[in-house]
Amino acid sequence: MKITKRVLAEAWRRTAARHALLDGVELPPVARSEDELDEWAEGTWGEPAEQAKDGDLCLLVGEDGTVRGRCGPHQEVFVTHDLDEAVFLIAEAAVRRRGGGLAEVAEALERIDPAWGRRFRGGEPDGTGAVEPCGRDPLEGFAWIAGSWREQDPYTTLAFFRAAPGRTVDPERLALLYGAGPAQVAAGTRLKDLKAVDDGRVHWDRQWESCCFGQAGGWTFPLHHDTPPGAFADKEAYAALGIEESVRLSATSAKAIYRFEYLRGDRRVDDGDPCVLELIRYERGHAPYLRGGELDFLNRALRRAELDHPELTNRFELYFHALEESLGLRLPRRDFAEGEVRAAHWAGGGR
């Protein structure tokens, strides 16, 4: 059945009538065009403008039956063609508006419908999958680096590359294409070797002209600050690495800007809104990406991280743990702590 404004209203009325927790909860304003949404935001149609600015949910039902949820007139938070999912997402928003933590929201939704509780806890579209707790210390995984990375330590850019299943991206070849010094790469130089020269003063002076690299969890990683001029000049050699996926996390020194970029091949996955890729826009308890969009897998992983690890108050640690769970990103903590990770200065740089 194609969703229309009337169909959605009737489905919500039936749902709200069956559950005491939804008693008296009205369907959010429903528009059938962007113009109606703008009128709502201006207070000339439906609810007053103050509610639009307050982050209330409003709905846009397209002619093809697509339901788009908006916080205010422009921030899209979900898109669905499924009536049951639309009703669930509206109910979730209504329950969350009452306040309380994520566990309380999950319990309230579970009282309305056990399937809704499972769906919320797992972040899954249909709520049919088993939801198992994480059961381990997230700071033993990828999230260990989140704290120091905010201070640009050890590097401002964390990059990860993965090839097709059964293949690996050669870390030495990748480091050389980045611009790492061939002699240090060939010698197997470690981070502790760079820091051992002149009690570490040389590396301190040249750390902006260096990189660390290696492999973990099926990903090849180079970590660095500035990328040297001429990096990736050999396009054929870069193509021969067979890279199919890449992730880049970048921190801008002194500006508190932290970005996440995920590419499949040469195509960036961003659901059409690159602004939301700034990590400071992620708030605990709120899905940072479009529900039902290409990055929804990260929303689900973040929901699990938030519910499994209420002890984590650092949102970067939560986000990095979600990246580990959803994409398998890893960094060898012991290798960095002991200085065993491979490292090199850029070729021809510095002194």
Side-chain angles (χ1 to χ4, degrees):
M1 176 189 300
K2 186 175 80 170
I3 303 175
T4 64
K5 183 175 180 178
R6 179 179 176 181
V7 167
L8 186 60
E10 290 179 350
W12 178 253
R13 179 183 53 78
R14 291 193 302 270
T15 300
R18 291 198 302 266
H19 305 293
L21 286 174
L22 298 177
D23 185 38
V25 177
E26 299 292 334
L27 182 72
V30 181
R32 286 175 289 194
S33 69
E34 296 285 352
D35 288 342
E36 281 191 359
L37 275 181
D38 289 338
E39 291 174 10
W40 176 65
E42 294 167 1
T44 57
W45 170 80
E47 300 295 328
E50 299 87 72
Q51 290 198 3
K53 295 175 183 176
D54 197 32
D56 276 357
L57 184 68
C58 56
L59 307 170
L60 176 63
V61 178
E63 292 184 0
D64 63 351
T66 301
V67 180
R68 298 181 182 276
R70 304 276 181 88
C71 277
H74 304 299
Q75 184 186 352
E76 195 157 74
V77 293
F78 71 78
V79 56
T80 182
H81 300 273
D82 183 87
L83 181 60
D84 290 339
E85 184 173 13
V87 170
F88 164 74
L89 291 169
I90 295 167
E92 179 189 314
V95 172
R96 292 177 71 121
R97 292 282 297 176
R98 295 180 177 180
L102 284 180
E104 293 172 279
V105 173
E107 290 170 4
L109 289 169
E110 198 162 47
R111 290 201 301 274
I112 295 172
D113 186 329
W116 281 10
R118 291 193 299 271
R119 176 183 249 174
F120 181 82
R121 292 177 188 279
E124 296 294 335
D126 56 10
T128 58
V131 178
E132 299 294 336
C134 177
R136 59 187 179 84
D137 182 356
L139 297 185
E140 288 301 316
F142 182 50
W144 70 267
I145 200 172
S148 67
W149 179 71
R150 290 193 64 181
E151 305 301 324
Q152 290 82 53
D153 178 29
Y155 292 98
T156 54
T157 298
L158 315 179
F160 301 85
F161 300 87
R162 184 160 63 180
R167 296 188 59 186
T168 57
V169 178
D170 186 283
E172 291 190 353
R173 289 174 61 195
L174 182 63
L176 290 170
L177 288 171
Y178 258 87
Q184 289 179 327
V185 173
T189 301
R190 310 284 171 171
L191 182 59
K192 66 181 181 182
D193 300 326
L194 296 186
K195 291 182 175 180
V197 178
D198 195 19
D199 293 327
R201 285 192 292 271
V202 172
H203 181 62
W204 177 262
D205 290 341
R206 296 192 60 189
Q207 62 179 329
W208 285 85
E209 302 171 0
S210 71
C211 67
C212 287
F213 60 94
Q215 282 183 324
W219 293 86
T220 296
F221 62 86
L223 277 56
H224 59 92
H225 289 299
D226 294 335
T227 304
F232 308 111
D234 191 337
K235 302 299 183 184
E236 291 185 2
Y238 180 72
L241 292 174
I243 294 170
E244 293 204 350
E245 292 177 275
S246 59
V247 173
R248 177 184 171 93
L249 294 149
S250 58
T252 302
S253 179
K255 291 186 179 180
I257 297 174
Y258 314 95
R259 290 182 62 82
F260 159 77
E261 293 179 287
Y262 176 42
L263 281 77
R264 294 184 183 129
D266 295 327
R267 185 180 66 84
R268 187 169 69 177
V269 180
D270 61 14
D271 289 322
D273 185 0
C275 292
V276 301
L277 299 180
E278 289 188 6
L279 302 192
I280 55 175
R281 293 189 60 174
Y282 160 55
E283 297 181 23
R284 188 186 185 107
H286 296 272
Y289 305 115
L290 180 67
R291 302 280 287 273
E294 287 194 280
L295 290 173
D296 197 28
F297 70 90
L298 255 179
N299 290 333
R300 296 193 295 271
L302 279 163
R303 175 68 52 73
R304 291 304 318 150
E306 291 164 347
L307 287 167
D308 284 343
H309 302 289
E311 76 281 4
L312 290 185
T313 58
N314 184 310
R315 57 183 169 174
F316 284 74
E317 291 174 349
L318 282 167
Y319 192 97
F320 278 31
H321 182 54
L323 286 174
E324 178 183 2
E325 290 296 300
S326 58
L327 290 173
L329 296 188
R330 302 282 195 280
L331 279 176
R333 184 175 189 174
R334 178 176 294 181
D335 285 355
F336 277 90
E338 298 177 357
E340 292 290 339
V341 65
R342 296 285 300 278
H345 289 126
W346 298 136
R351 309 159 193 270

